[in-house]
Each structure stands twice: as structure tokens, then as C-alpha cells.
Amino acid sequence: MRDLSSYPAEPFRIKVVEVPKMLDRPEREKAIVEAGYNTFLLNSEDCYIDLLTDSGTTAMSDQQWAGLMVGDEAYGGSKNWYHLKAAVQEYYGFEYVTPTHQGRGAENLLSTLMIEEGQYVPMNMYFTTTRYHQEKNGATFVDVIIDEGHDSTAKDVPFKGNIDIAKLEKLVAEVGAEKIAYICLAVTVNLAGGQPVSMQNMKDVRAFADKHGIKVFSDATRCVENAYFIKKREKGYENKTIKEILKETMSYFDGCTMSGKKDCLVNIGGFLAMNDEDLYNRSRELVVVYEGMPSYGGMAGRDMEAMAIGIKESVDYNYIEHRVEQVAYLADRLLDAGVPIVEPAGGHAVFLDAKRFLPHLTQDDFPAQSLAAALYVEGGVRAMERGIISAGRDKITGDHHRPELELVRLTIPRRVYTYKHMDVIADAVIRLYEKRDEIKGLEFVYEPPMLRFFNARFKIK
Ligand code: PM9
């Protein structure tokens, strides 16, 4: 474990508190049975520490709350829309912006506009909603992340989210460049453990795409965390600001989809941004079908104001340093106790490696689902499965996708919990690790046909 003084103190003062309930163990046992062993289906009130996601769970600043009060709720041309557009242009550098209610709204627009039936979308590992929209529009998803991205033990690889250019070359040689709808590059890679992508890799992907006339879009959801890792790990960026690194990052893409619920520090919102005027015009036509006017896209005026302010706050070094290092603190506590996690730790979460945590279970026993349920009972800590259940089924064979990584994600909301909370989480995981042999596998009681992890129900095998 690092010297304790090397983890930065909270760069904020707490002005409002929310008092959580603390259920006792028999109450938690009852709650998880009622939720069908699916932590998504627990009542949030029954969770002492809620690490289900960092999506939309951010604590907003006093400036953002003040911004809510100047919401202009006009149906068209809200002043807050102009503030949001200006913030995206300044910090992300794209010319055109189409707002959406959240990230998947932008994914829907991009996939619908860019994909033709029978095309391919290579990406650095899948993400659930992203792949869903790609496949729904007739594309075949191809994973082109470097092999180490699938290896939870490859701890000396600083940019495990990188795209393997050789895998891109192989795909183009096999199917032809015209069959690639676009390359999708996520910064950071959520399901690899929040792993970053280097600036050099983005430059290489851009050069490859230019050579073959292929477009490149970013899933920019956690791009500020990625910028922090570049500053810390990539030569030549140590003296650049987070704002400069973010702007350079985005300069290698034709556009991006964004879930504002993560690195824009808000509870709801998203956008599709791009430089191509024709694509923008087509997205303006489509957004009215699914989201709303091109000047609000499913957000209230006040939400757009909070997002414009959040974008500016997100590039503050003190904020992002604390955010990522707090995650590192939790990872270091677990590593010290010998708990198997994805290494190195990512930007938004610590991922428990359920395969190594529960070696007595096979992947068909749904070990990560089972571990997440057990952790809730042990400590009132709600986490999320990111393994075979999240991966879903192959659209052709109908069999489970069987991802190499079978993980439980301890996702840290932004500006919500303190280091003492990290200790409570670590202690609960360590207690559970000491009695891991007692944890049993699960089987489906109800399996939804799509994005099954949200609503599935299970029982003990
Ligand atoms: N991520 C997460 O908890 C929200 C729910 S799980 C489906 O990690 C990436 C990398 C994400 C992401 C959401 C989205 C979709 C796109 N890309 O949730 O629609 O992590 O705003 O964004 C979740 P929205």
C-alpha cells in the first residue's frame, strides 16, 4: 500500500447530506431474495453504500444546483442549450452537437445513421448498450482491444484499453474497408476494468482509418478519466492540462457519443457531437423522432445548464486527481489483503475478479452475479455483475457469450463517498473473501430477451 499521505484529500466541502438506512443482516438476506439475487432490482433505500454505478449518481456542485434555477424551459432555442453547445465546442472541440437524454440516445442516433445492414463495427471491447444498438442496426461487432485487455492480471500494461492495429488490419483484409461502418474507440474501456487508451494509440487508429477511408467515433463517456491517465502515464503529457489533453484526444475523432451522466458530472443527459455537417443535419432530423427538439434532445433546460457547468468542472485537476486516486485507494486496500481484482485499477471502479475469487464455481454458475449478491448481504454494499450475464447471448447461435473477464464492479460515484467509506467497502469484501467457499452458484428463474442483466431473476443452484 502507498504512503497514506499520497492519496489526495477530498477537494470539496459537504453541504448537503443524505442519511442512508442501515439494514441488519436478516433484512438484507430477505431483500436480496426479493430482488431475485439481482442487485439492479434492490431498492436503493436498502443499500448502505451504493456502488451499482457511477452513472448519474454524481453529487452536483453548488454552482450546478444554482444553474438549475436558471433553467429556460422553452420548447425551442432554450438559452441553456446554447450554453451547453458552447461548452461542448470549447472542451471537446466538435463543431456540431445534438443533445440526447443520455448516452444510449446518442448511440441510437449514430448507429442508425452510420450503419448499413451487413457491415462491421470494430471496437475496443463491447459495451452493453453500444453493441446492442450496433447489432440492432444490422452490424456485426468485432472486438479489437489488445489481448491484455482481457487479462485481469496484466498489471504492468499502462494502457490496457488500446486497440490492436493488427486486429484492425486483419478485419479490413478479410471484409474490405467499405464494409466497416466506422471504428468505435472507447475512452476508457468500462468492461475491461475502466482501462485507458494512450494518445499514441488514438493517433495510430486515426492514421490507419485515414489510410482506408474509414470514420472513427469515440465513446467519450469517461474521457476525462482517460485524460488523467494520459497525464500520469504517457511521456510528453505530464505538463499539459486536463483540458488540453481532452481537446487533443477528441481531435483524432470524427465525432463522439457521450453519456453526460459520467464525466459531465450530471444526473441525466448526453450528446452526439461531430464535425460533418451532413451527418449533423441527419441527426437533427432523427433526434425529433426519439428524443425531442434538436435544442433539448430529451433534457430539461435546467439539466442542460447543469451539464454545461459540469463539463467545465470536470477538467479541474483537483477534482479528477481525487476521483481516480480514491478508486486506487480502494484497490490498494484489497490488493494488500490478497483479494483478486483487475490490475491496474481503472478510473471509475475496482473490479473483483470473480473467477479467481470463487474458483469452485464454473462460469455457468454465474460467479460474478453470485458474488455481487453475497457482498450485498455481507456489508449492505450494492455492486454490479459484469460477466456472463451482462455479455448476453450470441445473436446467431443463441448461446451465452462467455467473456474472459467475469467481474463484479465496485463503481465509485463522483464526489459522494469518503475514504472511510472505502474502508467499509474493503472490510466487507475482505471478510467475504475469507469465507468465499460458502458462496454458491445461481441459475435463471427469468431471463429477459435483451440486455438481460437489468431485469433477470435468479435462485440459488
Ligand atoms: N454505463 C454503467 O453503469 C450505465 C448503465 S449499464 C448499461 O457503466 C459506456 C462506456 C457506458 C455507458 C453506460 C453508456 C451508455 C455508453 N458507454 O447509460 O445511456 O459505461 O447514459 O450511457 C453505465 P447511458
Side-chain angles (χ1 to χ4, degrees), residues 254-315:
D254 295 289
C256 75
T257 54
M258 184 71 193
S259 171
K261 303 173 72 168
K262 282 81 163 178
D263 273 359
C264 300
L265 305 184
V266 284
N267 305 125
I268 194 71
F271 58 82
L272 170 65
M274 66 235 109
N275 289 323
D276 178 344
E277 192 179 358
D278 176 56
L279 180 64
Y280 171 62
N281 286 333
R282 291 190 296 130
S283 73
R284 276 174 64 94
E285 287 159 14
L286 200 58
V287 77
V288 295
V289 180
Y290 292 108
E291 310 278 330
M293 282 285 283
S295 60
Y296 74 84
M299 281 181 278
R302 53 182 174 270
D303 298 329
M304 293 191 282
E305 190 66 27
M307 190 146 101
I309 297 167
I311 286 173
K312 294 186 191 108
E313 290 181 358
S314 73
V315 299

Side-chain angles (χ1 to χ4, degrees), residues 138-208:
T140 299
F141 166 85
V142 184
D143 185 2
V144 291
I145 198 169
I146 56 171
D147 288 345
E148 293 90 333
H150 292 278
D151 179 357
S152 68
T153 64
K155 63 179 177 196
D156 297 324
V157 183
F159 293 102
K160 273 168 82 172
N162 279 358
I163 281 185
D164 186 337
I165 303 288
K167 290 184 186 173
L168 278 182
E169 270 163 1
K170 186 165 171 282
L171 179 67
V172 169
E174 276 168 17
V175 304
E178 66 292 346
K179 280 276 195 181
I180 312 285
Y182 55 93
I183 297 168
C184 187
L185 195 157
V187 285
T188 58
V189 182
N190 188 351
L191 299 190
Q195 301 297 328
V197 178
S198 70
M199 199 70 92
Q200 187 58 50
N201 190 246
M202 291 184 254
K203 286 184 204 169
D204 293 345
V205 170
R206 179 77 263 171
F208 174 88

Side-chain angles (χ1 to χ4, degrees), residues 290-358:
Y290 292 108
E291 310 278 330
M293 282 285 283
S295 60
Y296 74 84
M299 281 181 278
R302 53 182 174 270
D303 298 329
M304 293 191 282
E305 190 66 27
M307 190 146 101
I309 297 167
I311 286 173
K312 294 186 191 108
E313 290 181 358
S314 73
V315 299
D316 172 58
Y317 182 75
N318 292 337
Y319 152 71
I320 191 63
E321 180 197 29
H322 168 264
R323 195 265 181 299
V324 176
E325 298 302 333
Q326 190 187 44
V327 172
Y329 174 82
L330 175 59
D332 291 345
R333 282 258 359 242
L334 294 176
L335 285 171
D336 259 15
V339 176
I341 64 168
V342 175
E343 291 183 79
H348 67 305
V350 175
F351 288 69
L352 305 177
D353 184 341
K355 278 189 184 169
R356 286 188 285 144
F357 201 114
L358 303 175

